Amino acid sequence: MNPLDIVMAITDGAMAAIPRPLPQREQLHACRIVSHRGEHDGHGIKENTLAAFRRAHAAGVWGIELDIRFTADDVPVICHDPDLYRVFGLRFAVAEHSLAELQLQCSQVPTLAAVIDEFGGHLHLMLETKSEAWPREQRRQAVLSSLLNALQPVDDFHLLSLDQDMFQRFSFLPPECMLPVAETNIRQMSEMALQRGYAGLSGHYLLLSERLRERHATAGQALGTGFPNSQNCLRRELNRGIDWIFSNHAIKLERLRQQMLTLRN
């Protein structure tokens, strides 16, 4: 475990130990839980696979976050890393091979088309575009525009990115469906979201302050936080009016939400 992971684990443990009041019914109903790369366990069910997305859907989770990369023949597929080694143990670079070659090596990597066909309009899709070279940019824009044409921006999906420049490649989409993801560059990404009229801002729950939340709320924008992993941390986020909760344990949080709703009856 690297030092950052250790710090995050200690922080999550501390947050889990602090009692929080039960959110109001309105806050619980408004809660939007997003399954980060689907409900996966790293063993039998891998991240960013149809199986992981199906688990989240079956449990009643509101949305899924998924990562888009392109194959060498310009087909958008769902894969977080540039290659398949971390998840599937394969030394295979996605951008250097065709879809047919990818599917021959690993049939578990879905296309964006397959995800939209099965889950579009049923789960909210948080589509993260990865920062990478875009040869044949106009062709790739046309491919994405055609695939997303069946869905309604904002209502059915949002576009996420850690790289503020990536959004410039999606001029065919309205700015209010674009959601910057901040790491430590909170101020920069917040200013950009406000200036460009984006959907809002997303980042780790400790980095998004109450003052920041109020500023974006005043502008009619939303905030998303990751990655609460306990009832008390979930209560904290709901009590302060966070709109989207990104989680690696979305089914657990959805069950907690249902239990809290029962307590509010």
Side-chain angles (χ1 to χ4, degrees):
M1 184 178 290
N2 63 48
L4 181 59
D5 289 338
I6 293 173
V7 170
M8 289 296 99
I10 293 172
T11 300
D12 288 340
M15 285 291 174
I18 302 174
R20 310 284 180 178
L22 182 67
Q24 297 298 315
R25 171 173 287 277
E26 294 77 13
Q27 294 168 319
L28 289 164
H29 278 299
C31 178
R32 299 290 181 260
I33 295 174
V34 181
S35 182
H36 185 239
R37 306 179 199 168
E39 191 73 16
H40 54 280
D41 56 21
H43 302 287
I45 298 183
K46 305 292 189 180
E47 67 178 50
N48 274 325
T49 60
L50 293 177
F53 301 146
R54 285 167 183 155
R55 283 188 74 186
H57 187 209
V61 175
W62 177 77
I64 51 175
E65 184 270 351
L66 51 153
D67 303 282
I68 300 174
R69 291 189 180 274
F70 279 89
T71 60
D73 52 346
D74 299 319
V75 179
V77 296
I78 311 306
C79 185
H80 180 273
D81 300 346
D83 61 43
L84 305 182
Y85 185 72
R86 178 181 60 86
V87 178
F88 298 102
L90 300 172
R91 300 289 187 183
F92 187 94
V94 174
E96 297 176 7
H97 296 84
S98 69
L99 175 65
E101 292 170 328
L102 171 62
Q103 292 181 329
L104 186 63
Q105 286 292 315
C106 186
S107 61
Q108 291 190 68
V109 177
T111 63
L112 176 59
V115 172
I116 291 174
D117 183 62
E118 183 166 350
F119 303 108
H122 304 291
L123 284 173
H124 195 90
L125 306 181
M126 292 290 193
L127 307 170
E128 181 173 341
T129 60
K130 311 307 291 183
S131 181
E132 59 181 350
W134 262 42
R136 301 171 300 280
E137 183 168 324
Q138 290 185 343
R139 171 176 167 78
R140 292 188 174 193
Q141 288 174 334
V143 169
L144 287 172
S145 178
S146 177
L147 286 172
L148 295 173
N149 189 54
L151 305 176
Q152 290 297 317
V154 180
D155 291 337
D156 295 328
F157 72 92
H158 283 81
L159 192 71
L160 283 64
S161 185
L162 290 160
D163 183 351
Q164 59 182 318
D165 295 328
M166 286 298 296
F167 292 133
Q168 306 303 314
R169 293 171 169 165
F170 294 84
S171 57
F172 58 89
L173 293 174
E176 56 267 24
C177 82
M178 299 179 184
L179 183 64
V181 181
E183 293 181 291
T184 56
N185 55 342
I186 293 290
R187 180 176 297 180
Q188 177 188 5
M189 297 296 256
S190 174
E191 290 294 337
M192 179 188 67
L194 291 166
Q195 291 172 6
R196 297 182 183 177
Y198 288 160
L201 182 66
S202 180
H204 192 275
Y205 64 84
L206 281 184
L207 299 179
L208 300 183
S209 66
E210 182 59 19
R211 181 178 179 183
L212 193 77
R213 187 200 66 77
E214 291 175 354
R215 190 178 183 199
H216 283 273
T218 300
Q221 294 184 345
L223 285 189
T225 61
F227 297 96
N229 189 29
S230 66
Q231 178 166 226
N232 282 330
C233 193
L234 176 62
R235 287 187 178 196
R236 174 187 186 266
E237 297 306 280
L238 295 182
N239 282 324
R240 69 192 191 105
I242 295 300
D243 301 277
W244 299 303
I245 308 293
F246 292 82
S247 177
N248 292 313
H249 306 280
I251 291 177
K252 171 185 172 181
L253 295 193
E254 174 58 24
R255 288 171 179 164
L256 289 172
R257 186 185 76 87
Q258 293 292 341
Q259 291 170 8
M260 288 187 281
L261 274 170
T262 301
L263 294 175
R264 277 292 177 196
N265 285 340

